[in-house]
Amino acid sequence: YVSIIIKVNSPADTVALCYHVQKLADQVMQNPQVLAALQERLDNTALTPSSYIETLPKAVKRRIDALKQLQVKCAHIEAKFYEEVHDLERKYAALYQPLFDKRREFINGEAEPTDAESEWHSENEEEEKLAGDLKNVVVIEEKAEAEEINVKGIPDFWFTIFRNVDMLSELVQEYDEPILKHLQDIKVKFSEPGQPMSFSLEFHFGPNDYFSNTVLTKTYKMKSEPDKTDPFSFEGPEIVDCDGCTIDWKKGKNVTVKTIKKKQKHKGRGTVRTITKQVPNDSFFNFFSPIKVSGDGESLDEDSEFTLAADFEIGHFFRERIVPRAVLYFTGEAIEDDDNFEEGEEGEEEVRCILHLL
């Protein structure tokens, strides 16, 4: 676009100028190349949904606003639906628990399965039978020696799951491993009726040289209601915050901190001294000291938001996958299923989490 400013001295000059401008415009519009360029520009201008809505009559827009009111009411009904789903999860968690208790007994060697309980027909049954026949030809001395080995339960069950699952293995440091070998069980607990929606993860540990706690807990607070400022964004319950617990570390065993030495120079005397200082250390057990979502409106920085979102995703994964299907993550079968699902279909269910800054 070119702007031209022309000074005129009289009304007659203005009329004459307008005449010449109109004549020039008519000549330009008769030019085929100019018309083609204008048509191409019009063709390339996409009519967006919002621009289409703006073209509708006022009465139609009024009806559309009424539909939005109905949609908000649908969102509130959907929120109630998810609250009842949470109640159902609590109900069925109580039905699962006796099976999970028996699982814990088998894992920790507190009980032995009966022949009927341990009967399982695998897809590779013939290969396993052949392997079993080969084992029968071992030397008697070796067989006797093997019989003397008394393995209790399923060693390193939960620790093996941590190693098998990438999301968890990325959090585990080498110095975490001896501690995780004392992990005996992981439980999911749902909030009681009438209480705000939440779930807790309980990590049960056997006696160890690192901390005195027998149970470490992590509670995830949830919200199942449409946002007042954006009700159409509601897609189900969201994790909005989480609480960890205090780990009672034994002296010198806290793996979440490390001691560093730092030299300080005296400004006046010029002497140098060495001081020791404790700084945070990477560890899975930082999982129990999560970043807190501020309730005073103070926003988190980008790194903190990413860390908290990842924390929410891990908590959801423990609840939905690890705890209910632990044996399949131990054997790797669930991991293969997850990989196949990711390759075959996009849009795998993701945890819906929100940094709800009040």
Side-chain angles (χ1 to χ4, degrees), residues 221-241:
K221 301 174 183 179
M222 305 179 72
K223 182 188 77 168
S224 181
E225 61 179 283
D227 191 285
K228 292 180 180 178
T229 59
D230 186 16
F232 302 133
S233 66
F234 181 73
E235 293 183 351
E238 300 165 320
I239 297 174
V240 294
D241 199 2

Side-chain angles (χ1 to χ4, degrees), residues 297-328:
E298 182 180 349
S299 60
L300 299 173
D301 58 51
E302 187 176 345
D303 289 342
S304 296
E305 287 186 0
F306 177 82
T307 300
L308 196 56
D311 188 310
F312 291 172
E313 184 177 1
I314 291 167
H316 181 82
F317 195 80
F318 269 115
R319 165 188 160 172
E320 295 292 326
R321 301 288 189 87
I322 298 295
V323 174
R325 309 176 69 200
V327 65
L328 302 180

